[in-house]
Amino acid sequence: MSIRLPFFGLLAKRDPMEGLVEHYNKIAECIATIDESLECYVGGGVCREFEELTRTIDEIENHADVIKRNIRNHLPRGLFMPVEKPLFLSYTKSQDNILDSAQEALHWLAMRKVDIPEDIQKDLIYLLDAVERTTILLGPALEATIALVNGESLDRDGTKNLYCKVRRERENVRTLKNELQKSVYAKDIPFKDIYQILHFIGCLDDMAHNTENCADFLRSMIAR
C-alpha cells in the first residue's frame, strides 16, 4: 500500500500539480487562435495571415512542451508525489494531446483554402464553441483536484460534479460533430474539400475527447 503526503507543498520547492495549471492555460490560447482563424476562414473578414496564425499556435504549443518537459524532469520521488506517478504522467499526456490536436486542427485549416458551404459555417463555429466550453470546464476541475489531493479542500462531491460537467459538454460536442459530419458528406463539393473539413472537425473532436480523458484521470486521482 502506497502512502501519499497531503502536505506536499511543505516538502518540495514546487508542487508538480501546479505545473499542470500553467500547462493547461496554454489550451485557451490555442483555442483563441483557432477561433480567429475559423472566423476569418468562413467570414472572409479582416484577419491576420494564416501563416502568422499557424506560427502563433506553433509557438504556443512549443511553449507548452517546454512546460511539460520541465514538469516531468523535476518530478520528486514517488513517495513525495501527491498522486501516483503513472497517473500523473497519463494526465499530463492527455492534456498535452489537447494542444497537439489544436495545433493539427489549425494546420489542416491552413493547408489550402476551402470554400466552406454557407449552411455549415455556423455549425462549425457552434462546434468550436462547444469544444471551448469543454476545455474551459476542465480548469476548475483541475484546480479543485489539486486542492483536494493537497489537503486544502474536503469538497469531494463538488469536485466530482465538475468532472460530470466536462463529460456532459463532451457529449454535446459528440452530438454536434456527428450531425456536422453528415451535413458535410452530403455536400456536392470536391472530395478533397470534404476530407479537409472532416479532418478539421475530427481534430476539434479529439480536443474534447482528450479533455474528457483528463477528467477521467482526475477522477482516478481522488478515488479511494
Side-chain angles (χ1 to χ4, degrees), residues 125-157:
I125 292 173
Y126 291 158
L127 176 64
L128 179 58
D129 287 345
V131 172
E132 183 176 14
R133 286 195 297 274
T134 309
T135 59
I136 287 174
L137 288 169
L138 179 62
L142 174 61
E143 292 177 354
T145 304
I146 293 172
L148 203 59
V149 300
N150 283 342
E152 299 163 356
S153 167
L154 298 176
D155 188 9
R156 184 175 295 273
D157 289 339

Side-chain angles (χ1 to χ4, degrees), residues 188-220:
D188 185 18
I189 57 177
F191 182 74
K192 61 182 180 181
D193 290 356
I194 290 177
Y195 185 82
Q196 190 171 344
I197 297 171
L198 288 180
H199 198 90
F200 174 71
I201 293 171
C203 291
L204 296 184
D205 185 60
D206 284 345
M207 292 178 68
H209 174 68
N210 281 295
T211 304
E212 182 184 35
N213 286 345
C214 285
D216 289 342
F217 284 125
L218 292 178
R219 176 69 181 85
S220 298

